[in-house]
Amino acid sequence: MESDSLLIGDWGKIEIDQNDDFHRLPIFRPFGISFSEKEIELYNGFVQIKRDSISGKRINDYKGLYTSYNIRKESIFIKDPFSQNWEFKWTINQISKDTLVLERSDSTFIKLKKIKPNENINFDQIVFSRSGCFGSCPIIDISINKNGEVYFQGERYVSPLGFYKSKIDSTQISQIFSKFGRANIDSLSNGYTIGRPDNESVTTTFIKNGQILKTIDDYGRAGPKELIWAYVPIENLYTHIDLDSLAFDEPFYPKLHYYAFEKDSLILRLDKSESFYLWTELQKSKTSNSDFKPLYSMGFGENFTYWGSDPNEKRKHKYQIEKIESDGRKFKFYFKDQDSKTYDLGYNFIEKNFKDSDFKEKTKYD
């Protein structure tokens, strides 16, 4: 059928409304789909919200982005990833080279236009963080590089909680990186916001050769649709990969977040994703016995609530952090009733990633 060949490609909805979420997700997401010869990709993913029968906690049951489809007399049927049954989804009401109109079973329509993906991947590491919201939004941090090395922290409203590492394959790497590549991060603003309170902030940091290229702070998922679609595979990755718990033999305190570098009356506050990036770099650093001249005192989230269980609870009596000093390369941790310990990144984190103008005057809240 002619419609079969015309259907192949990527499609985004022309007029966005809140009724197009595939499984009625609790927050609005723009609708988009892609067809190959045998598979359909749902840009928002196949997700169902469930409740744990014992704890009552919300669980996101994520089944990925792809499933099989076929066309029968201008109707599209998909293999539902949850039931594994073939189900009717839409009738092809109209189709041309660049326009597609789908009709639902309730006789409402979805009008889409053909998208021409233009990938621009000039980064080799992505660090993604969710801050939580006034509710049960998952609070997570995840770092992925082009070699497939993964660091993950589950802080609250997720399972598992704590700090983990993993390794993903080339298919998963390509999927995550190509999604952000399609968002064309070079053309995006550094911040997006929606005029509603109690939403979460999603921060994404892009890194090339160990240098931060850009951080995007998206409050309320107000960013462009390509960016929101890129969130889906990375924010759900931890639900379907093997995670190895990180053992902390060093006294380095794992639950530090929202780092800030303070110098005189100036302060550099890191976003959540930038803080997690520094945390992962400290994990790879070496201890040092050499002295250095501190340039910064460091805040480490003491004025922010850490929602998860304390990963250091069993060692809390031994390592109670008092302060951190740094020159940008070396980080000296001072502990109550314990010897201090210095970690050497091997490079200057501040000089490599930030400018003098990124330091701002302190306010009464700092």
Side-chain angles (χ1 to χ4, degrees), residues 115-131:
I115 301 172
K116 296 180 179 179
N118 182 23
E119 291 188 7
N120 179 21
I121 303 175
N122 62 345
F123 45 87
D124 55 32
Q125 185 174 352
I126 305 167
V127 186
F128 175 90
S129 295
R130 296 180 63 178
S131 69

Side-chain angles (χ1 to χ4, degrees), residues 9 35 37 40 54 60 69 84 122 134 145 155 166 180 209 212 215-217 242 267 279 298 300 317 356:
F35 294 91
E37 290 187 1
I40 179 175
I54 298 176
N60 285 2
Y69 80 97
Q84 295 300 308
N122 62 345
F134 189 70
N145 66 26
E155 188 174 335
S166 188
F180 282 105
N209 296 328
I212 294 175
T215 294
I216 299 174
D217 189 338
D242 295 327
I267 187 169
W279 184 87
M298 287 188 62
F300 45 86
H317 66 284
D356 289 343

Side-chain angles (χ1 to χ4, degrees), residues 300-351:
F300 45 86
E302 64 268 40
N303 295 323
F304 294 86
T305 300
Y306 184 90
W307 292 106
S309 58
D310 188 346
N312 262 7
E313 190 66 40
K314 293 181 181 179
R315 304 179 303 145
K316 198 172 184 180
H317 66 284
K318 185 175 181 181
Y319 296 113
Q320 295 185 46
I321 192 168
E322 291 188 326
K323 65 177 180 177
I324 307 173
E325 294 179 338
S326 177
D327 63 356
R329 169 176 172 165
K330 294 181 179 179
F331 295 76
K332 189 171 186 176
F333 288 73
Y334 293 85
F335 304 96
K336 184 178 180 180
D337 301 325
Q338 295 290 326
D339 293 337
S340 62
K341 197 144 190 176
T342 300
Y343 296 86
D344 187 349
L345 291 182
Y347 69 94
N348 193 302
F349 182 83
I350 297 296
E351 292 178 357

Side-chain angles (χ1 to χ4, degrees), residues 99-166:
T99 302
L100 172 64
V101 180
L102 300 175
E103 183 177 356
R104 301 188 188 92
S105 58
D106 62 1
S107 299
T108 58
F109 298 91
I110 310 171
K111 187 175 182 180
L112 305 104
K113 65 178 179 179
K114 183 69 72 73
I115 301 172
K116 296 180 179 179
N118 182 23
E119 291 188 7
N120 179 21
I121 303 175
N122 62 345
F123 45 87
D124 55 32
Q125 185 174 352
I126 305 167
V127 186
F128 175 90
S129 295
R130 296 180 63 178
S131 69
C133 61
F134 189 70
S136 56
C137 301
I139 306 177
I140 63 171
D141 301 284
I142 186 165
S143 168
I144 302 169
N145 66 26
K146 288 295 288 287
N147 296 322
E149 297 167 338
V150 176
Y151 280 102
F152 171 78
Q153 180 200 189
E155 188 174 335
R156 199 177 192 192
Y157 302 120
V158 294
S159 180
L161 297 175
F163 295 81
Y164 299 85
K165 62 182 178 179
S166 188

